């Protein structure tokens, strides 16, 4: 009976989101109420379990998502994202500009949603293609896959952030190992771009392209590279130093230096510092823009993700009232097998309903009660579990994924070309990612 409830609840989330366009907050909440009712929880128990799960999840990551959104909005609207991309292209060289754009997308996607990042940076594809003689599709795929890599692996992106909270993984280690996995995964996208980009016949799509009005118009308004980089780099470094300081060998000792890194490296504090470092991006422009509504706009962006994350936490709390390990025989599955299960569930959910974030959150809710059965209980195991879920949640991006349409429409390419270029690239990235994660499991 419980197994049927679990299957129906998951199927409802997929069908309601995909077929009936129900917002994930509603589909996750309805699925949780359905599952809890079928499991025999009385209304008071059900609502307490649901709201406790919602609150516990948000208590650890709600502010982090909000602060990350503020940094992203200021980077977008001051043109700092273009400065980052142009600086990286200049540093790597015009001859290797697809690689430079891939890396720029990767770096920018840490605080900026990949959809927004592509909208802003896609204007560089055509000029770079003309300057270098490299087909435009190479730049399209390189940029799209670079943005996509950080989106599923590197906090403070909401997906891995939520998964880390739900499986109780160390966020600093998720960030460090997420970067370690995401960089070669991003390069996989660059490789595929070079391999297939010049072979496909590109047919321009007839659909009108959306406006790119958020991009800065006047070059003199763009901030200097230093101001553009520090709101991203400083929080990452602080969070990483906190994890290093807390390592069992205590490389920084246990005195004031340790306490300082533990405080400043707390993700909430680190991202808040990043917010204040992002504010000067607007002040250094020749003509002072009206930024009073930017923080409010960031809160609106973050609000939807925060609610989805909380609803996923509530759904997971209800599922944990089931004895899931007894529903499916995982007794022979441990270690590598468990990571593959995480990858497989996330890949199925991603492919079925399109959203990487929803796939990550739903999979984390399902997997958390199984971690002990899989033997994935120590610090490193939990971190790799988060990354395995992320790898599945990037496999694959196709016609039910909003990002797929952003890439195709802003690049002016037809559906068939987008499927062969972008979709196959994301499949390759997902497979490379899970391979790397399994290698890390064997090493550690």
């Amino acid at each position: 009976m419980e197994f049927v409830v679990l299957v129906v609840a998951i199927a409802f989330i997929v069908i309601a989101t995909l077929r009936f366009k129900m917002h994930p907050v509603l589909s996750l909440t309805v699925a949780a109420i359905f599952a809890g009712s079928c499991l025999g929880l009385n209304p008071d128990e059900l609502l307490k379990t649901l709201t406790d799960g919602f609150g516990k999840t948000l208590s650890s990551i709600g502010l982090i998502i909000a602060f990350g959104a503020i940094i992203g909005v200021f980077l977008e609207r001051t043109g700092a994202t273009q400065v980052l991309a142009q600086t990286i292209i200049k540093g790597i060289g015009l001859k290797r500009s697809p690689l430079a754009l891939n890396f720029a997308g990767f770096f920018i996607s840490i605080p900026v949603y990949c959809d927004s990042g592509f909208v802003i940076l896609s204007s560089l594809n055509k000029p770079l293609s003309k300057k270098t003689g490299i087909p435009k599709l190479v730049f399209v795929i390189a940029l799209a896959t670079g943005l996509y890599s950080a989106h599923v692996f590197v906090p403070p992106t909401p997906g891995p952030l939520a998964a880390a909270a739900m499986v109780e993984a160390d966020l600093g280690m998720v960030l460090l190992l997420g970067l370690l996995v995401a960089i070669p995964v991003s390069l996989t996208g660059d490789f595929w771009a070079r391999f297939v980009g010049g072979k496909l016949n590109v047919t321009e799509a007839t659909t009108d392209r959306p406006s790119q009005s958020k991009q800065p118009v006047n070059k003199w308004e763009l901030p200097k590279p230093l101001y553009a980089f520090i709101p991203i780099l400083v929080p990452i470094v602080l969070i990483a130093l906190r994890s290093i300081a807390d390592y069992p060998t205590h490389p920084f000792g246990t005195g004031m230096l340790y306490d300082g890194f533990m405080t400043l490296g707390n993700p909430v504090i680190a991202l808040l510092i990043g917010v204040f470092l992002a504010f000067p991006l607007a002040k250094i422009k020749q003509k002072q823009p009206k930024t009073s509504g930017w923080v409010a706009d960031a809160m609106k962006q973050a609000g939807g993700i925060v609610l989805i994350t909380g609803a996923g936490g509530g759904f997971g709390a209800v599922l944990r009232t089931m004895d899931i390990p007894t529903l499916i025989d995982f007794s022979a599955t441990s270690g590598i097998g468990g990571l593959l299960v995480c990858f497989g569930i996330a890949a199925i959910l991603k492919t079925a309903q399109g959203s990487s974030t929803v796939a990550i959150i739903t999979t984390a809710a399902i997997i958390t009660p199984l971690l002990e059965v899989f033997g994935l209980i120590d610090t490193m195991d939990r971190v790799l579990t988060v990354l395995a879920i992320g790898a599945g949640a990037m496999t694959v991006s196709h016609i039910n994924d909003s990002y797929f349409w952003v890439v195709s429409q802003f690049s002016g390419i037809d559906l068939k070309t987008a499927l062969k270029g972008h979709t196959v690239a994301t499949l390759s990235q997902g497979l490379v990612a899970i391979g790397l994660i399994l290698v890390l499991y064997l090493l550690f």
Side-chain angles (χ1 to χ4, degrees):
M1 175 62 181
E2 288 189 342
F3 179 73
V4 174
V5 171
L6 178 63
V7 171
V8 172
I10 296 170
F12 171 79
I13 293 170
V14 174
I15 295 170
T17 305
L18 179 62
R19 177 69 178 83
F20 299 104
K21 310 301 180 186
M22 183 181 290
H23 194 282
V25 172
L26 297 177
S27 61
L28 286 165
T29 303
V30 171
I33 293 172
F34 164 78
S37 300
C38 292
L39 293 171
L41 296 177
N42 65 52
D44 289 339
E45 289 176 328
L46 174 56
L47 289 176
K48 186 177 187 307
T49 302
L50 182 63
T51 54
D52 285 352
F54 185 96
K56 181 181 178 182
T57 303
L58 292 191
S59 66
S60 59
I61 64 171
L63 286 174
I64 301 174
I65 294 174
F67 294 158
I70 295 172
I71 295 171
V73 166
F74 272 76
L75 289 173
E76 287 177 36
R77 299 192 182 180
T78 59
T81 49
Q82 284 195 326
V83 172
L84 292 171
Q86 291 165 358
T87 302
I88 292 169
I89 290 170
K90 185 178 179 180
I92 295 179
L94 196 60
K95 291 183 179 179
R96 295 185 292 274
S97 50
L99 173 62
L101 202 57
N102 177 265
F103 184 69
F106 170 84
F107 189 72
I108 288 165
S109 188
I110 295 173
V112 177
Y113 298 126
C114 58
D115 304 62
S116 300
F118 192 89
V119 169
I120 295 166
L121 297 183
S122 61
S123 61
L124 299 175
N125 292 334
K126 193 172 183 179
L128 286 173
S129 178
K130 285 185 176 180
K131 284 184 181 179
T132 61
I134 299 172
K136 187 180 78 168
L137 188 61
V138 175
F139 292 98
V140 171
I141 299 172
L143 173 60
T145 52
L147 287 159
Y148 200 40
S149 302
H151 181 69
V152 296
F153 290 120
V154 185
T157 307
L161 194 62
M166 295 172 77
V167 306
E168 299 180 353
D170 179 84
L171 190 58
M173 291 301 296
V174 171
L175 191 154
L176 289 172
L177 288 184
L179 286 169
L180 184 63
V181 170
I183 290 173
V185 169
S186 183
L187 294 175
T188 300
D190 177 68
F191 173 81
W192 179 254
R194 294 172 182 273
F195 176 75
V196 79
K199 297 181 180 181
L200 294 177
N201 294 318
V202 179
T203 302
E204 294 289 329
T206 57
T207 306
D208 292 335
R209 292 173 64 184
S211 169
Q212 299 185 35
S213 58
K214 285 186 179 180
Q215 297 184 51
V217 178
N218 300 317
K219 188 175 182 179
W220 63 78
E221 292 184 345
L222 299 177
K224 293 180 180 179
L226 177 63
Y227 290 99
F229 275 95
I230 58 173
I232 306 175
L233 286 179
V234 169
I236 289 175
V237 171
L238 289 175
I239 293 171
L241 286 173
R242 184 180 194 269
S243 290
I244 294 171
D246 202 34
Y247 198 72
T249 58
H250 294 294
F252 299 124
T254 57
M256 289 182 61
L257 190 61
Y258 170 82
D259 293 338
F261 282 136
M262 292 301 291
T263 300
L264 295 177
N266 181 289
V268 174
I269 302 298
L271 267 293
L272 182 60
I273 292 171
V275 167
F276 286 108
L277 292 174
F279 285 161
L281 289 172
K283 296 179 181 178
I284 61 177
K285 298 170 76 170
Q286 283 193 8
K287 183 179 180 181
Q288 176 67 24
K290 295 180 180 179
T291 62
S292 57
W294 290 10
V295 173
D297 289 344
M299 294 300 99
K300 291 176 184 177
Q301 285 187 15
I305 298 297
V306 166
L307 289 174
I308 292 172
T309 303
F315 177 60
V318 172
L319 290 188
R320 283 192 288 276
T321 64
M322 297 184 183
D323 190 8
I324 291 181
T326 66
L327 303 183
I328 307 171
D329 185 11
F330 286 116
S331 57
T333 305
S334 63
I336 288 177
L339 294 175
L340 288 173
V341 171
C342 296
F343 171 83
I345 293 174
I348 291 169
L349 289 171
K350 163 65 178 178
T351 305
Q353 54 79 44
S355 169
S356 294
T357 302
V358 173
I360 290 173
I361 292 171
T362 306
T363 303
I366 296 169
I367 287 298
T368 299
L370 296 170
L371 292 178
E372 188 171 346
V373 176
F374 292 153
L376 301 172
I377 53 176
D378 66 22
T379 300
M380 188 62 66
D381 290 341
R382 290 177 184 271
V383 170
L384 293 177
T385 298
V386 173
L387 299 183
I389 294 171
M394 73 184 316
T395 315
V396 295
S397 173
H398 63 101
I399 57 175
N400 62 1
D401 181 4
S402 63
Y403 185 53
F404 173 88
W405 293 108
V406 168
V407 171
S408 61
Q409 295 303 302
F410 273 89
S411 305
I413 57 177
D414 66 291
L415 177 62
K416 185 177 179 181
T417 302
L419 287 169
K420 290 182 178 179
H422 174 71
T423 299
V424 177
T426 61
L427 173 62
S428 303
Q429 287 184 293
L431 295 176
V432 169
I434 189 61
L436 290 171
I437 292 162
L438 296 181
V439 170
L440 288 174
Y441 177 80
L442 294 174
L443 291 175
F444 293 105

